[in-house]
Amino acid sequence: MAFQKQSVYIREEFLNIIMTITFDDFKKLEIKIGKVKSAEKVPDADKLIKFVFDIGTEERQIMAGMADFFNDPSKLVGKEMPILINIEPRKFRGYDSHGMIIAADVDGRPILLHPEKEIPPGSIVR
């Protein structure tokens, strides 16, 4: 029996499908406001910044590939932003990352989000 190779054509509008999640799935996300305590470029890594955040009850180290967009990451110290807390930890260049910064993406550039006024670190985002 011979098999014929088939080509699959996908229309462009189907490439940008957004999967919907249930409200119960959304409730699983633990998002809190973190306040940047320190931010520094990682030596020998072009894109990595090592952040330390105050999230109220603890400090968290979070690695982010944003160095191309922030010439002086230390200027981010004191800024508040939403952090996804309960994402599985990962290693980046030997550094542990215990969270993810939530930012907007505008033409491939991260735009950091901030509360409209200063609020306590660890405040829950709903």
Side-chain angles (χ1 to χ4, degrees):
M1 175 180 233
F3 291 96
Q4 217 174 6
K5 191 174 185 179
Q6 293 184 346
S7 296
V8 176
Y9 296 95
I10 300 173
R11 291 175 36 190
E12 189 173 328
E13 62 262 27
F14 293 120
L15 294 177
N16 293 320
I17 295 173
I18 297 174
M19 185 176 80
T20 59
I21 62 171
T22 67
F23 187 70
D24 287 336
D25 288 336
F26 176 75
K27 289 190 326 185
K28 293 176 188 175
L29 300 176
E30 186 176 350
I31 303 170
K32 293 184 177 183
I33 293 298
K35 186 172 193 170
V36 179
K37 297 205 46 139
S38 67
E40 59 189 36
K41 289 185 179 181
V42 174
D44 300 323
D46 296 337
K47 298 180 181 184
L48 275 181
I49 297 176
K50 180 177 82 168
F51 288 90
V52 174
F53 284 92
D54 174 1
I55 57 166
T57 57
E58 64 178 302
E59 290 184 357
R60 288 271 179 119
Q61 177 174 287
I62 296 176
M63 308 302 292
M66 299 180 173
D68 287 349
F69 306 103
F70 299 99
N71 293 330
D72 183 2
S74 68
K75 290 183 179 179
L76 298 172
V77 172
K79 302 275 187 192
E80 294 183 322
M81 57 194 77
I83 305 296
L84 179 59
I85 298 300
N86 62 337
I87 191 166
E88 184 176 337
R90 290 185 60 192
K91 275 197 184 293
F92 294 89
R93 296 277 182 127
Y95 293 88
D96 291 327
S97 185
H98 296 277
M100 179 183 285
I101 298 169
I102 296 176
D105 181 322
V106 177
D107 298 325
R109 179 181 180 82
I111 306 299
L112 299 175
L113 309 173
H114 308 286
E116 66 181 62
K117 63 181 183 178
E118 190 167 331
I119 59 176
S123 295
I124 297 171
V125 177
R126 299 177 200 245

